[in-house]
Amino acid sequence: MSVELRPGLGPAEFPRLLVVWRSAVEATHDFLTPEDVEYYAARIPGYLPGVELTVAVVDGQAVGFSGTGDGELHMLFVHNDFRGHGVGTALLRDALARYPALTLDVNEQNPKAAGFYTRQGFVVAGRSETDSEGRPFPLLHLKRG
């Protein structure tokens, strides 16, 4: 499978990125209730303009995206149909090429994502009891090992 990376196209693309986000979250964030998913889904379009978006495209369709800024990976999501096919790795490598000292947060309750970053050479540098919204979802703060 050939993965093309490109900059985000702006608000016209946000509905598709929300589809990607929802697919990824529903497949990996089993600690969230449906109400939690809706809470975050309502906020995603507001978060996207605040990050440098990179979109992963396969056969002309957006299948994943990352958001970076100030040396931090703020988000990385891959549509569930494309997980395990190198899309996340391509997005992460692209972010690392731009920010070699990249840091990121990952939900502690998402062991698949935490394992993905550990396999990519990240180590835990700290932990928070709540997420960035102050909600009770602990975060692991990761940095390159």
Side-chain angles (χ1 to χ4, degrees), residues 17-115:
L17 299 184
L18 186 57
V19 168
V20 170
W21 176 87
R22 184 178 294 277
S23 173
V25 167
E26 289 177 349
T28 61
H29 291 59
D30 56 0
F31 55 93
L32 295 178
T33 66
E35 293 78 19
D36 293 325
V37 172
E38 293 308 316
Y39 173 88
Y40 291 108
R43 284 155 176 74
I44 291 297
Y47 296 152
L48 296 177
V51 297
E52 182 182 342
L53 277 175
T54 301
V55 177
V57 178
V58 173
D59 295 330
Q61 178 146 338
V63 299
F65 67 93
S66 65
T68 57
D70 298 325
E72 186 173 351
L73 180 67
H74 295 285
M75 57 184 74
L76 191 157
F77 295 97
V78 175
H79 193 286
N80 190 47
D81 292 347
F82 293 87
R83 282 182 43 234
H85 295 282
V87 175
T89 299
L91 287 164
L92 183 60
R93 286 182 181 161
D94 178 71
L96 284 166
R98 286 181 282 120
Y99 301 106
L102 190 70
T103 61
L104 62 98
D105 291 340
V106 65
N107 289 102
E108 184 177 65
Q109 296 160 292
N110 185 351
K112 290 179 183 176

